[in-house]
Amino acid sequence: MTLEAWLKAAAEDAERRGLPALKPLLETLARATAALRAADFNDRADR
Amino acid sequence: MITIEEFGRRLRARQTTSAEVTDECLQRVEAENPRLNAFIRVTADEARQQAREADREIAAGHDRGPLHGVPISVKDLLDIRGLPTTAASRVREGHVAARDAATIAHLRQAGAVFVGKTNLHEFAFGTTNEDSAFGPARNPYDPSRSPGGSSGGSAASVAAGMALATIGTDTGGSIRIPAAVCGLVGLKPSLGEVSIDGVVPLSRTMDHVGPLAQTVADACFVHHALLGDARAVLPAPMPLHGLRLAIPRRYFCDVLDPEVRARFDEAIERLRASGVHVDEIQIQHADQIASVYLHIVLSDAAAYHASTLDAMPERYTPNVRIRLEMGRYVLAEDYVRALAGREVLRREVDAALAQHDALVLPTLPIPAPPIGASTVQVGSATEPVRNVMLRLTQLFDVTGHPAIAIPAGQTTAGLPCGLQLVGCRMQTDALLRVALACEPQITLGFPRSGNVGG
């Protein structure tokens, strides 16, 4: 799942659950996840 | 307030009694707790009874060791049999602990006197102590400011002389942060060294139990009692001359309040002048620390809280509830990436310590923040309080290395600053020997905490 797709789905879910205050926190989490995915310690199947 | 070490000397010289010092602490609770909100529950009657029993045992020649008769407070996250463990949350209404946490049982064996259970950030999930079902605990140095968190009530209780030491927990810095802003020593032991049985978890893979106290020696006594080693004697300080310390300057000294930086640099200069060799090293993946920590702590916490988040969400404080909910959206693949990052960071800290006795860095980039502040000015930058509070401590919860916070002077406004030393994994005693040696140079010229506000 791409981060963009994840964030869109998570924000929609938060809205559906009546938790709009969660959306800015999900954006913070998305930034942290982007950093984590970009780290050079991640394994890749093609290497 | 008297230290544990001094209390022990006077007790055994028949110059004081446990009943007398326990009474002093309880009088301080009466005078200061309405202002500081450090305690959720005060167990005055039980404490007086335990103190009298300790005095009787010592008079009869049954000496249990350095903690015998010592009044201590306990973060209300640890089970004490017969008492509620609230975790500062309404979610736990009606709970009563059936038995002592393993560490509490050890303290009981050591003859400690329990004066009460202290306030905390709800479920230990925060660094300021603002979000508590019992209201915020306050900093004895300035009650408009946070005592740190999550063990904020614990730190306030010792800094204000309501206990001689306290038991806290540390998952991202929750012992060391309150120690720093309340002018105390705070020890996070090595991961897995001290039992977390009977402790309400935040992250079972990163939770640590440890002491906050007025001195390194006192922290050492309490740490050994927590391990079940009640009769431990103080280890010899490492010789200062020739000691090898390393500063991880990049990242860890990038975002610092100017006065915190000045106190840190002054302490380093005093150590150098005493013959300590201070190098600089790098933690290569330091920029990944926050993201690794966040994905692990959120996932672990969300798993523990999932059923109560669904069943009784209104019982959480709003901020804690919403951050716990955030953890339910972490993907498994990202959690696995965080675990890989954890191993990388662990190896990098191991490597940094290979040629050194300890790492040395500030404990907290800022002095105590005002209660209610969401951002804070650090030099010319505005930073979120939560990020700044965790920035220098969370790495060692991720990697499991033991770390000790030591008071390192004050700002011109009289707010404490802290410095931390970090040792090799499963070598907490070696770290304590380094800390015992360095403490006089780090704290030089500043009054000890323990009677603030009195």
Side-chain angles (χ1 to χ4, degrees):
Chain A
M1 186 179 242
T2 66
L3 262 180
E4 293 73 21
W6 168 82
L7 182 57
K8 185 169 180 290
E12 285 170 2
D13 187 62
E15 190 69 44
R16 183 187 58 75
R17 295 175 62 216
L19 296 170
L22 193 51
K23 287 203 265 185
L25 296 186
L26 290 171
E27 286 162 13
T28 302
L29 178 57
R31 284 193 291 276
T33 305
L36 189 62
R37 289 185 181 188
D40 62 5
F41 52 68
N42 289 308
D43 289 335
R44 285 179 57 117
D46 61 353
R47 285 187 206 157
Chain B
M1 181 55 71
I2 191 172
T3 64
I4 293 173
E5 204 176 12
E6 181 60 19
F7 168 72
R9 268 196 292 272
R10 291 198 204 168
L11 183 73
R12 284 159 188 89
R14 305 286 190 265
Q15 292 167 349
T16 192
T17 62
S18 174
E20 202 174 288
V21 174
T22 300
D23 254 339
E24 269 179 53
C25 288
L26 291 169
Q27 284 167 21
R28 295 285 297 168
V29 172
E30 259 183 53
E32 295 296 326
N33 200 48
R35 188 172 73 100
L36 301 176
N37 200 25
F39 283 86
I40 287 172
R41 174 179 293 264
V42 179
T43 50
D45 292 344
E46 296 90 329
R48 288 195 173 96
Q49 192 179 333
Q50 288 165 359
R52 285 194 297 270
E53 178 62 20
D55 287 333
R56 268 195 296 274
E57 287 186 348
I58 288 165
H62 178 37
D63 190 334
R64 292 174 184 253
L67 280 206
H68 205 167
V70 173
I72 65 164
S73 60
V74 176
K75 185 178 188 176
D76 201 7
L77 200 66
L78 287 84
D79 285 344
I80 296 183
R81 70 173 183 242
L83 297 179
T85 308
T86 69
S89 182
R90 289 180 50 231
V91 169
R92 292 184 58 89
E93 273 174 11
H95 171 269
V96 175
R99 61 188 182 93
D100 286 336
T103 45
I104 296 298
H106 287 152
L107 291 172
R108 213 184 276 283
Q109 274 298 311
V113 170
F114 302 117
V115 293
K117 303 194 79 180
T118 52
N119 204 349
L120 63 146
H121 209 114
E122 185 181 26
F123 282 111
F125 201 27
T127 56
T128 59
N129 217 129
E130 289 164 332
D131 299 309
S132 160
F134 300 88
R138 295 177 179 276
N139 192 314
Y141 282 86
D142 176 352
S144 74
R145 291 178 183 266
S146 164
S150 61
S151 313
S154 284
S157 75
V158 179
M162 299 188 270
L164 268 54
T166 187
I167 310 304
T169 63
D170 193 314
T171 305
S174 287
I175 287 172
R176 291 162 289 154
I177 293 166
V181 298
C182 290
L184 298 171
V185 170
L187 172 67
K188 180 200 83 68
S190 201
L191 184 65
E193 183 182 13
V194 176
S195 172
I196 54 169
D197 171 62
V199 182
V200 176
L202 174 56
S203 160
R204 289 194 201 276
T205 72
M206 293 196 287
D207 291 339
H208 303 72
V209 174
L212 295 93
Q214 296 175 73
T215 64
V216 174
D218 283 6
C220 190
F221 290 134
V222 180
H223 169 65
H224 277 274
L226 289 169
L227 288 169
D229 182 13
R231 293 177 186 279
V233 293
L234 214 52
M238 205 89 91
L240 257 188
H241 195 82
L243 200 67
R244 299 157 307 167
L245 302 181
I247 305 173
R249 202 171 284 280
R250 188 183 72 79
Y251 179 85
F252 297 93
C253 295
D254 289 352
V255 179
L256 291 182
D257 174 273
E259 290 202 84
V260 171
R261 186 187 299 280
R263 295 300 90 77
F264 177 70
D265 289 344
E266 290 157 11
I268 295 298
E269 280 317 304
R270 289 196 295 272
L271 289 166
R272 278 198 169 114
S274 306
V276 176
H277 186 76
V278 185
D279 289 328
E280 295 199 8
I281 51 94
Q282 284 209 13
I283 303 296
Q284 195 191 333
H285 286 87
D287 294 333
Q288 290 291 337
I289 293 168
S291 55
V292 167
Y293 174 80
L294 189 67
H295 284 80
I296 295 173
V297 76
L298 285 180
S299 304
D300 287 355
Y304 179 70
H305 287 278
S307 59
T308 42
L309 282 170
D310 288 339
M312 52 184 85
E314 73 290 348
R315 291 200 186 180
Y316 288 91
T317 61
N319 289 337
V320 168
R321 178 199 173 192
I322 213 74
R323 281 194 290 110
L324 287 170
E325 284 287 358
M326 179 167 54
R328 307 178 89 177
Y329 292 88
V330 174
L331 296 179
E333 62 175 273
D334 294 316
Y335 182 75
V336 171
R337 288 185 181 103
L339 295 181
R342 186 177 195 176
E343 280 308 311
V344 168
L345 289 166
R346 188 177 282 153
R347 285 197 298 271
E348 289 179 1
V349 178
D350 282 345
L353 281 161
Q355 304 297 324
H356 298 96
D357 297 298
L359 305 184
V360 58
L361 63 157
T363 309
L364 189 65
I366 54 171
I371 289 173
S374 58
T375 60
V376 65
Q377 199 71 22
V378 187
S380 57
T382 303
E383 301 278 348
V385 167
R386 184 176 168 78
N387 295 3
V388 172
M389 297 292 270
L390 289 168
R391 185 177 173 96
L392 308 184
T393 50
Q394 61 193 345
L395 171 61
F396 310 108
D397 295 284
V398 168
T399 64
H401 292 79
I404 186 165
I406 299 174
Q410 297 178 354
T411 65
T412 47
L415 297 173
C417 305
L419 173 155
Q420 60 180 328
L421 296 165
V422 181
C424 294
R425 284 187 284 137
M426 300 314 282
Q427 294 185 33
T428 304
D429 268 345
L431 174 66
L432 285 165
R433 292 186 63 207
V434 174
L436 283 165
C438 295
E439 182 182 28
Q441 298 306 321
I442 295 170
T443 59
L444 191 72
F446 287 93
R448 209 182 60 232
S449 196
N451 202 24
V452 182

